[in-house]
Amino acid sequence: MDWVEVTDSQERKFRLAVDRSTHLLIRSVVITKDEETQQINEDVSIYSNYQLKDSVWTPLQISREHNGRRAVQIFYDSCKFNPGFADEIFDKSSLSKQGSQALAKRARTRKLHDR
C-alpha cells in the first residue's frame, strides 16, 4: 500500500492508505490535538469487503477506532448511488450550467456584502 499525508492549517494530519494494485482506499487516519487536554487523538477508519455496486467499488465493511480502541464496526448489505436522479443532471452541459449559476450567486452575495 502507499500512504499520502496531508497537514492542514489547524495542524490536523490526514493519512490515507491506498492499495497499490486497485487504488482503493484501505485506511484513513486523522490525527488531532485536543486543545483543552493537549492530548493527541488518532481516529482510524478501515475500509474492506469492496464490491462493485452501480459501477462503483464500494466498501461494505467499515471499522472505526479512536485512540486504538474500536468505536464502531459497520456492515452494509446494499448500496445505491444516485438513486432516482436523472442522467442528464450529470452531463457536461448541465454541470456547466450549474457551475455558472453558482458563480453568479457568489458574485451577487459579494456585492451585497460590499455595500
Side-chain angles (χ1 to χ4, degrees), residues 1-47:
M1 83 179 78
D2 289 318
W3 284 91
V4 175
E5 184 173 306
V6 177
T7 303
D8 70 7
S9 61
Q10 296 175 341
E11 297 301 315
R12 293 177 295 200
K13 284 186 184 179
F14 300 85
R15 299 182 71 218
L16 306 173
V18 179
D19 184 277
R20 281 188 179 149
S21 61
T22 64
H23 306 291
L24 296 173
L25 184 62
I26 296 191
R27 178 182 294 249
S28 66
V29 180
V30 180
I31 301 169
T32 57
K33 184 175 184 179
D34 186 318
E35 294 301 321
E36 290 180 20
T37 65
Q38 301 302 307
Q39 177 182 341
I40 301 297
N41 290 311
E42 182 178 83
D43 292 294
V44 177
S45 296
I46 301 166
Y47 306 92

